[in-house]
Amino acid sequence: MANLSVNFAGIKSPNPFWLASAPPTNSGYQIMKAFDAGWGGAVWKTLGVPVINVSSRYGALNYRDTRMMGFNNIELITDRPLKDNLREIEEVKKYFPNNAVIASLMVETREQWHQIVKDVENAGADGIELNFGCPHGMCERGMGSAVGQDPVVLQTIVSWVMEVAKIPVIVKLTPNISHIQDPANAAQAGGANAVSLINTIQSVINVDIDNFVPTPMVDGKSTNGGYCGPAVKPIALNMVKNVALEPGFKLPISGIGGVENWKDAVEFVLMGSSTVQVCTAAMHYGFGIIREITSGFERYMDEKGFKTVDEMVGKALPQTKHWEELNLKYKVVAEINEDKCIGCQLCYIACEDGAHQAIGLSSDADNRKPHIIEENCVGCNLCSLVCPVENCITMVRRDDGKQHLTWKERTEQGTIPTTFNDELAGGLHHWVPEPADALKNKTLQKN
Amino acid sequence: MSEYKIPTTETEFEANFSAKKPLMDKNEAFYESSRCLFCYDAPCIKACPTSIDIPLFIRQINTNNLDGAAKTIYDSNYFGHSCGQVCPTDVLCEGACVYNHQDVKAIEIGRLQAHATNHVIQNDKKLYTVPEKTNGKKVAIIGSGAAGIACACELRMLGYTVDVYEAKEKPSGLTIYGIAPYKLTNQAVLDEMNYLQKQFGYTIKYNSPIHSQADILKLEEYDAIFIGIGLGNTSTLGIKGENHADCIGATEFIEVLRMQHHKTKVGKKVIVLGGGNTAIDAASEAARMGAEKVILAYRRSKEEMSGYDFEYDLAKKSGAVGLFNVAPVEIIASAEKITGVKFVKMQTVNSKLEVIKDSEFIEECDMVIRATGQLKQVGFLNLITDLKLDDKDRVIVNSKFQTTNPKYFAGGDVINGGKEVVNAAADGKVAAREIHLMLTVDFKEF
Ligand SMILES: Cc1cc2nc3c(=O)[nH]c(=O)nc-3n(C[C@H](O)[C@H](O)[C@H](O)COP(=O)(O)OP(=O)(O)OC[C@H]3O[C@@H](n4cnc5c(N)ncnc54)[C@H](O)[C@@H]3O)c2cc1C
Ligand SMILES: Cc1cc2nc3c(=O)[nH]c(=O)nc-3n(C[C@H](O)[C@H](O)[C@H](O)COP(=O)(O)O)c2cc1C
Ligand code: SF4
Ligand code: SF4
Ligand code: SF4
């Protein structure tokens, strides 16, 4: 049986699934409920300087009938008094000594940092997370992402914390920066024990087109907020991978952003996260989703023969390369399984209008099943992605698998192509219809 | 057997005839529209006789553009709302939906269509503006069924003055007088008819049957004439006893039912003769009117019925039972009442239908509904000079819906012998465009 327990930079947790610092971790009540439901750890809603929140705080991006594909908020850090939170941390730790309670912090001056670190340590927190990510409201006051976006300031503050911290310190990174490795390196240089990423992405989620104001609306006005939820997972995965692959970067990573199910969690771990954090999914469905995450994750580990989570961490990283290291000799083409095809012709129009005119229709109007015009197929995957039938279009390999040539190798050999019709690899021109054909053939009927 | 109690009030009638395809609310329409794949060159469009751009209107519903969705529908089919509710979608658009190939429930296109059109009708959203000035030409339309009204709408858009002559007192033809009440309510039909007339501004002259030579001569003062008279009364059987008052034609029975609702008189034991959709409808309807027993008697086997399977299933669910391979030879009746039908058993030998000797038997009943096909209005049609009918007495038209008398065009049941509302709506619209071409472009070509 798979062992889910982890030791993250010295913080022990019965499983790698933590609640991210956010409304679900606003109070001891919620965190006790979450631990009782099966969450391994919780990063307390950020504690710090006094704030006041506005009313009307969230907006959602729906996709057709799927609610909250993306989510955005204009909330600040906790608005509950520090001493209440400290008392509740103590109480939670009494009930759940084996679960991880991490205190998220955000203050301004060196003195304030020293004080609050001691406060949460005394309350019994297992770790500290420094919130350098909040992209609205706090950055204007020189905190949150204002710190996260400036590696020098970030390193300074981390070192202030490290002057007093006795428990592990995680630095939470903001994605609102073009080169995430810089703040990650600064955190490491400042002495932090781990990083977590991503916090929310600056966003305007929607515009109320009747009232000419973005959402969420506060008395007729709005502002940019922080974006999260399933839609941000690809961005988060890329940033986790950038940090994980950064030469010289050695700290463990807690992956955050769009995790909703076991598969999302596995993906974050394979890309280098040792724990994962969840916010939006818990806000949407409640703490109960942990059962699905745990059961799927465990089954995956058993199936793949992983005994511990550590064995999984970063498993996909060696296969994650720069573009110039990809094999130009590799060649796949699309193949349609006629037995499965339902004749929607979405693949046809996608390739015809959006790719390479490599799918043809039958001249027999009763036969709605398209066919691949193989010599034109560049193997882009588009058709297989739009096809509504599982495994109906597959990409099959056509090269012999023996040849290997990358752009990097060609650069080193000095054989970078000088013409578009480069035969050494790839760049062979394929057939493209004449522009005027667009007005002639309504449908392409090659073959 | 009776699942239905005899309705004695309008409310009880409505309960017995509750909608087979109820209107969707906004939520249901949203979730259902979300499922549509937006197929390329979508097969559902091809299966629709009026070629409504179905994926487009479904997406418009999904993006909360109901006016746009309704416009997409009406642009192709002026009976958009009625069709959404009465079309046999299982064999049309929904039958062609690609989801069927995946064993997933087809998109409920008909109900989505009714949802969007209901929105514009109930909120009186004006989608069309006819030209302010007419083009000086006038067209007469005989019959205010789907064919006639569709033709009228399109001609008004093209600038013609249009007068519709209707024999009865209500518009829409069989849509209000013939279709089963659980498909479409009288109110829903009339609302759509008012909605159309208000926007398109054609005139309907009710209670104005065209039946004499003189009537026809008057009509010929118009620049063109469109014939949309549908079919006629139910044909007779030629057997003893069928003239009894309790032996009634199916379309006549349904017309009474649609107009009088719970006040319609129905027997305790009803035998419906026929195997088409009209017979099946009449059997369903008699059962819903509280008849204790309803028998659907057909000359051939169940498999050979021309009615749709899903309609037969619905009739069975309402309580009707099938009696197959039997032909009526006599309606047994005294002066006061019918007591039964004498049948003879039939068999098919070498694909020919034969009587089985000495197999007569009597099935008791007190009411008979004949659903043995509708007659064509041959007498009337023969009054029109040069107008030719085919061997089944259908008006012959060319691909332009023009009859053998070039001034006359025709569409709907009168040319196809009885199909669906949607076919009539399709014909009427195309015929209008052809009338326009004839009157504006090159007369000689025709
Ligand atoms: C019992 C039954 C059930 C049906 N159920 C369905 C269904 O569920 N779905 C479906 O799509 N279709 C159904 N149909 C078929 C559908 O009703 C017809 O195909 C459609 O109504 C044909 O339209 P139309 O305009 O050609 O003729 P009609 O609807 O018959 O309209 C003809 C109009 O012309 C008028 N008229 C006739 N003669 C004259 C004259 N001499 N002068 C002036 N006016 C005249 C009539 O009064 C009538 O209003 C059903 C038909 C029947 C009989
Ligand atoms: C309403 C809301 C408030 C948040 N508040 C905080 C906060 O106080 N401190 C913090 O570090 N992150 C905060 N976050 C960011 C989340 O912890 C998390 O990084 C982000 O939502 C991405 O994860 P997700 O896609 O699972 O939601 C907040 C997010 C939301 C939606
Ligand atoms: S893989 Fe790309 S190019 Fe090939 S058929 Fe599919 S869409 Fe067209
Ligand atoms: S997208 Fe898939 S199901 Fe649709 S036509 Fe293409 S292969 Fe067939
Ligand atoms: S066939 Fe079905 S899924 Fe495809 S466009 Fe039509 S309704 Fe939508």
Side-chain angles (χ1 to χ4, degrees):
Chain A
M1 261 295 266
N3 176 4
L4 282 181
S5 67
V6 292
N7 182 337
F8 181 81
I11 304 171
K12 293 203 179 87
S13 174
N15 64 44
F17 315 122
W18 296 357
L19 286 167
S21 171
T25 60
N26 205 35
S27 63
Y29 169 81
Q30 288 162 293
I31 292 178
M32 296 259 262
K33 252 183 108 173
F35 287 166
D36 192 42
W39 290 88
V43 187
W44 210 277
K45 173 73 185 170
T46 305
L47 313 172
V49 293
V51 299
I52 292 173
N53 273 307
V54 290
S55 177
S56 173
R57 303 177 187 177
Y58 307 149
L61 178 73
N62 300 337
Y63 181 72
R64 294 205 197 163
D65 59 351
T66 301
R67 300 227 155 229
M68 275 173 57
M69 278 272 305
F71 186 61
N72 127 310
N73 81 89
I74 55 170
E75 236 174 62
L76 306 179
I77 62 175
T78 190
D79 46 20
R80 301 180 61 227
L82 181 63
K83 71 171 188 347
D84 292 357
N85 282 303
L86 294 173
R87 180 173 44 77
E88 290 176 13
I89 290 174
E90 223 178 305
E91 199 176 337
V92 171
K93 278 311 294 182
K94 259 190 221 136
Y95 278 92
F96 291 96
N98 299 323
N99 291 63
V101 173
I102 294 99
S104 171
L105 307 177
M106 183 197 290
V107 286
E108 259 182 292
T109 64
R110 181 165 177 241
E111 289 65 41
Q112 285 171 332
W113 278 109
H114 282 179
Q115 187 56 49
I116 200 162
V117 166
K118 285 179 197 150
D119 287 344
V120 297
E121 278 180 358
N122 289 337
D126 302 293
I128 290 168
E129 185 178 83
L130 310 183
N131 178 355
F132 296 152
C134 186
H136 50 263
M138 303 311 294
C139 43
E140 290 86 336
R141 292 164 63 177
M143 292 174 276
S145 61
V147 176
Q149 285 163 344
D150 187 335
V152 178
V153 180
L154 183 144
Q155 186 175 335
T156 310
I157 296 181
V158 172
S159 59
W160 291 346
V161 171
M162 299 320 292
E163 285 165 7
V164 293
K166 297 197 195 79
I167 53 179
V169 173
I170 308 164
V171 174
K172 184 165 179 178
L173 304 178
T174 175
N176 299 305
I177 184 166
S178 50
H179 203 245
I180 191 82
Q181 295 91 323
D182 295 344
N185 284 330
Q188 178 167 272
N193 306 98
V195 294
S196 57
L197 67 159
I198 60 173
N199 208 309
T200 57
I201 306 169
Q202 263 193 5
S203 61
V204 169
I205 192 96
N206 280 311
V207 178
D208 175 336
I209 58 171
D210 295 317
N211 297 302
F212 312 113
V213 55
T215 63
M217 194 266 281
V218 180
D219 193 14
K221 305 281 189 300
S222 187
T223 184
N224 53 279
Y227 192 41
C228 54
V232 310
K233 191 182 91 176
I235 299 168
L237 280 175
N238 180 52
M239 292 193 154
V240 166
K241 157 244 166 195
N242 283 345
V243 173
L245 287 177
E246 172 70 359
F249 188 82
K250 295 198 173 64
L251 304 183
I253 299 168
S254 185
I256 320 169
V259 176
E260 179 174 298
N261 59 41
W262 69 269
K263 190 162 167 287
D264 300 327
V266 167
E267 290 178 57
F268 269 93
V269 172
L270 297 179
M271 291 306 271
S273 312
S274 307
T275 57
V276 295
Q277 298 185 29
V278 178
C279 164
T280 304
M283 291 181 76
H284 195 163
Y285 303 108
F287 299 132
I289 56 161
I290 186 63
R291 290 186 310 233
E292 184 279 327
I293 296 178
T294 313
S295 108
F297 199 98
E298 255 174 359
R299 188 200 51 85
Y300 173 85
M301 286 180 73
D302 287 343
E303 213 162 73
K304 299 284 174 200
F306 291 118
K307 296 268 175 308
T308 65
V309 177
D310 277 349
E311 291 171 26
M312 287 170 65
V313 175
K315 265 278 179 191
L317 289 173
Q319 289 71 252
T320 312
K321 298 287 186 194
H322 291 290
W323 186 91
E324 59 180 19
E325 293 162 300
L326 302 180
N327 184 6
L328 297 169
K329 292 286 191 188
Y330 180 73
K331 162 103 177 136
V332 288
V333 294
E335 197 171 86
I336 295 175
N337 180 336
E338 281 208 19
D339 295 335
K340 289 191 173 167
C341 172
I342 60 171
C344 68
Q345 299 188 352
L346 285 169
C347 59
Y348 163 76
I349 201 61
C351 186
E352 169 69 12
D353 288 1
H356 298 90
Q357 299 81 44
I359 299 185
L361 298 178
S362 166
S363 48
D364 167 10
D366 289 336
N367 176 8
R368 287 193 52 89
K369 299 183 181 184
H371 57 264
I372 305 292
I373 302 164
E374 205 174 301
E375 62 269 34
N376 253 20
C377 175
V378 302
C380 71
N381 290 352
L382 180 64
C383 53
S384 69
L385 301 175
V386 301
C387 179
V389 184
E390 202 62 35
N391 295 324
C392 172
I393 302 185
T394 45
M395 304 305 297
V396 294
R397 189 161 185 177
R398 282 287 183 264
D399 66 310
D400 60 13
K402 291 185 192 124
Q403 299 181 69
H404 191 273
L405 183 64
T406 66
W407 189 266
K408 194 173 173 187
E409 285 159 6
R410 291 187 68 169
T411 313
E412 283 158 2
Q413 290 160 11
T415 60
I416 285 180
T418 51
T419 76
F420 281 98
N421 254 335
D422 168 65
E423 288 198 25
L424 198 50
L428 272 186
H429 259 317
H430 65 78
W431 167 78
V432 171
E434 289 301 316
D437 287 350
L439 311 176
K440 281 189 227 142
N441 324 348
K442 271 268 175 138
T443 53
L444 198 64
Q445 270 165 16
K446 202 165 174 266
N447 291 356
Chain B
M1 111 198 155
S2 183
E3 295 180 21
Y4 292 95
K5 285 222 291 273
I6 298 172
T8 56
T9 63
E10 182 61 22
T11 317
E12 285 173 15
F13 177 86
E14 275 169 20
N16 284 11
F17 287 85
S18 63
K20 190 177 136 198
K21 291 187 180 175
L23 283 175
M24 286 180 166
D25 67 11
K26 202 176 158 173
N27 243 344
E28 191 179 5
F30 176 62
Y31 284 108
E32 187 62 7
S33 60
S34 294
R35 293 202 301 129
C36 174
L37 296 169
F38 207 69
C39 298
Y40 175 73
D41 193 18
C44 52
I45 304 180
K46 291 188 180 156
C48 170
T50 57
S51 305
I52 297 176
D53 192 336
I54 293 164
L56 176 60
F57 91 68
I58 293 181
R59 185 155 286 201
Q60 287 167 318
I61 291 175
N62 196 249
T63 58
N64 204 15
N65 177 6
L66 285 183
D67 294 4
K71 177 90 171 27
T72 302
I73 295 161
Y74 280 119
D75 278 350
S76 294
N77 181 346
Y78 290 117
F79 267 55
H81 186 67
S82 298
C83 281
Q85 305 215 287
V86 309
C87 272
T89 50
D90 294 23
V91 295
L92 298 173
C93 52
E94 293 174 20
C97 177
V98 295
Y99 272 122
N100 292 304
H101 302 297
Q102 233 181 336
D103 294 326
V104 173
K105 194 164 81 61
I107 303 289
E108 292 196 64
I109 300 169
R111 293 183 66 213
L112 286 167
Q113 183 172 319
H115 173 74
T117 46
N118 183 59
H119 166 81
V120 293
I121 293 171
Q122 297 311 328
N123 295 293
D124 206 11
K125 298 264 185 164
K126 192 171 161 67
L127 299 178
Y128 297 93
T129 312
V130 295
E132 247 173 64
K133 278 181 69 183
T134 57
N135 63 12
K137 296 201 167 76
K138 296 173 76 175
V139 179
I141 291 175
I142 316 176
S144 69
I149 295 297
C151 188
C153 293
E154 189 76 2
L155 284 168
R156 287 292 297 135
M157 283 305 282
L158 296 165
Y160 292 80
T161 302
V162 179
D163 293 330
V164 183
Y165 293 86
E166 169 55 52
K168 300 206 158 131
E169 61 180 17
K170 291 192 167 69
S172 86
L174 285 177
T175 316
I176 190 157
Y177 288 113
I179 285 168
Y182 43 80
K183 291 188 186 161
L184 188 63
T185 64
N186 294 3
Q187 193 57 49
V189 190
L190 294 178
D191 284 352
E192 182 164 53
M193 292 305 107
N194 289 337
Y195 175 71
L196 294 177
Q197 196 175 6
K198 207 164 146 187
Q199 284 181 81
F200 294 100
Y202 43 81
T203 317
I204 307 185
K205 299 178 194 294
Y206 294 108
N207 303 309
S208 308
I210 302 294
H211 49 66
S212 66
Q213 196 80 53
D215 292 341
I216 291 173
L217 279 179
K218 271 209 110 160
L219 281 196
E220 291 191 354
E221 288 165 13
Y222 287 84
D223 296 287
I225 300 149
F226 177 80
I227 308 172
I229 60 170
L231 304 173
N233 290 334
T234 308
S235 47
T236 50
L237 295 158
I239 60 171
K240 203 175 149 201
E242 71 173 310
N243 293 327
H244 195 281
D246 291 338
C247 175
I248 182 173
T251 42
E252 293 75 11
F253 166 68
I254 297 167
E255 180 169 337
V256 174
L257 178 81
R258 293 274 328 217
M259 294 303 121
Q260 320 215 330
H261 285 182
H262 62 280
K263 297 189 186 113
T264 311
K265 212 183 120 230
V266 176
K268 279 191 175 148
K269 284 187 182 171
V270 179
I271 293 181
V272 181
L273 303 172
N277 285 316
T278 301
I280 297 174
D281 274 11
S284 276
E285 287 156 347
R288 283 163 199 260
M289 284 303 291
E292 281 168 17
K293 184 160 195 182
V294 178
I295 294 171
L296 182 64
Y298 180 48
R299 286 180 303 155
R300 299 171 186 268
S301 68
K302 178 174 177 290
E303 291 66 41
E304 290 164 288
M305 285 205 305
S306 62
Y308 300 125
D309 289 344
F310 55 88
E311 298 283 15
Y312 180 62
D313 290 343
L314 188 73
K316 276 205 304 195
K317 269 192 211 142
S318 320
V321 288
L323 179 63
F324 297 102
N325 302 305
V326 296
V329 287
E330 184 187 340
I331 312 283
I332 302 172
S334 62
E336 310 87 66
K337 57 176 191 164
I338 290 177
T339 54
V341 176
K342 185 189 272 180
F343 286 105
V344 63
K345 293 192 179 155
M346 307 292 285
Q347 62 184 1
T348 309
V349 181
N350 299 332
S351 66
K352 269 184 75 184
L353 199 59
E354 283 180 7
V355 169
I356 301 177
K357 274 207 185 109
D358 302 324
S359 66
E360 277 102 353
F361 67 100
I362 293 173
E363 188 69 43
E364 282 180 20
C365 69
D366 56 3
M367 181 181 188
V368 176
I369 299 176
R370 289 176 285 119
T372 40
Q374 284 173 268
L375 292 167
K376 316 293 188 306
Q377 304 191 43
V378 181
F380 165 71
L381 292 168
N382 280 340
L383 295 176
I384 301 168
T385 325
D386 291 340
L387 189 90
K388 291 210 177 78
L389 308 182
D390 68 7
D391 55 349
K392 289 182 175 144
D393 294 332
R394 295 175 297 203
V395 172
I396 296 175
V397 292
N398 61 17
S399 61
K400 301 171 165 64
F401 293 92
Q402 190 174 32
T403 70
T404 46
N405 176 335
K407 192 162 187 166
Y408 287 83
F409 288 71
D413 280 3
V414 75
I415 64 162
N416 62 36
K419 281 190 180 166
E420 317 291 344
V421 172
V422 64
N423 303 96
D427 293 357
K429 184 181 166 87
V430 181
R433 305 210 139 252
E434 297 297 345
I435 291 171
H436 175 59
L437 279 179
M438 175 185 81
L439 294 178
T440 53
V441 186
D442 185 1
F443 200 94
K444 273 174 253 115
E445 224 186 272
F446 294 77

